[in-house]
Amino acid sequence: TSSSSPITNEDVARPHSFISLMAFSADRFIVFKPTGDCFPLATDGKPCPIIIDADEDPGVKMAVDNLQQDIFSVCGTKPEISTHVNSRYAVLVGTYRSPLIQRLLSSGKLNKKELEGKREKYLLQTVSSPCDGVEKALVIAGSDKRGAIYGIYVTKNLFFSRKKHYN
């Protein structure tokens, strides 16, 4: 994988119209130009919503609020936190027992064996067509509340706390 020049502090300080995550690349984590192998976290300056069940654990909700703030700091607009999917792209967050994650497990979109009966484990995965109306989602699923929280903070560290970002 080739990489371009690093993004400078000036680049990060101004809002960008397109921000995409390279969820499974060792070299690049945030790009500012669309490519086929990325999850589009923000398009035309608008971040995709973060979807979480209303009854999710308060600690998971607090971590989602922190993720929302990091996305805001990169693109200049806060993503909506919602319990309803209303976008082509979305970040789906939840624990193993949440209805949102259970639907993905039941449909085979997530591997049940990765989370079932585990403690403090998380999955960070992009999923195509996770639910009606959603083309692609970045899923952060935890085996329990600590797993989900770890997954959220690992996502934050991977994508928003890296010293080197590539476009």
Side-chain angles (χ1 to χ4, degrees):
T1 306
S2 63
S3 57
S4 306
S5 60
I7 295 172
T8 65
N9 288 343
E10 181 180 297
D11 292 327
V12 175
R14 72 172 192 271
H16 292 278
S17 65
F18 182 88
I19 299 172
S20 188
L21 302 179
M22 301 283 294
F24 301 103
S25 171
D27 295 330
R28 299 182 298 164
F29 289 98
I30 298 178
V31 295
F32 294 97
K33 295 178 181 145
T35 65
D37 58 349
C38 297
F39 174 78
L41 184 61
T43 305
D44 296 328
K46 184 176 183 200
C48 64
I50 302 170
I51 310 302
I52 186 168
D53 282 314
D55 295 330
E56 191 57 80
D57 179 82
V60 175
K61 288 180 177 181
M62 186 170 69
V64 165
D65 289 342
N66 290 328
L67 177 62
Q68 178 191 46
Q69 188 59 43
D70 279 359
I71 294 169
F72 170 71
S73 71
V74 171
C75 70
T77 304
K78 276 190 177 181
E80 174 187 3
I81 297 175
S82 178
T83 57
H84 306 321
V85 180
N86 57 358
S87 180
R88 214 169 117 197
Y89 301 103
V91 177
L92 307 179
V93 180
T95 56
Y96 179 81
R97 295 188 188 275
S98 74
L100 179 66
I101 299 304
Q102 280 297 309
R103 283 191 297 275
L104 293 172
L105 293 165
S106 297
S107 68
K109 301 282 183 175
L110 295 178
N111 185 348
K112 192 174 192 174
K113 291 180 182 179
E114 292 292 324
L115 297 175
E116 188 175 48
K118 306 282 171 64
R119 292 186 51 190
E120 301 178 2
K121 176 147 187 202
Y122 67 89
L123 290 177
L124 174 60
Q125 180 178 329
T126 56
V127 175
S128 296
S129 304
C131 46
D132 290 341
V134 178
E135 184 176 313
K136 195 173 192 180
L138 175 65
V139 178
I140 305 169
S143 60
D144 52 24
K145 68 181 179 182
R146 284 187 178 183
I149 292 167
Y150 290 155
I152 293 165
Y153 285 106
V154 165
T155 302
K156 286 170 44 64
N157 288 336
L158 283 174
F159 302 127
F160 300 110
S161 300
R162 308 269 313 167
K163 291 189 186 215
K164 291 184 180 180
H165 302 287
Y166 299 95
N167 23 324

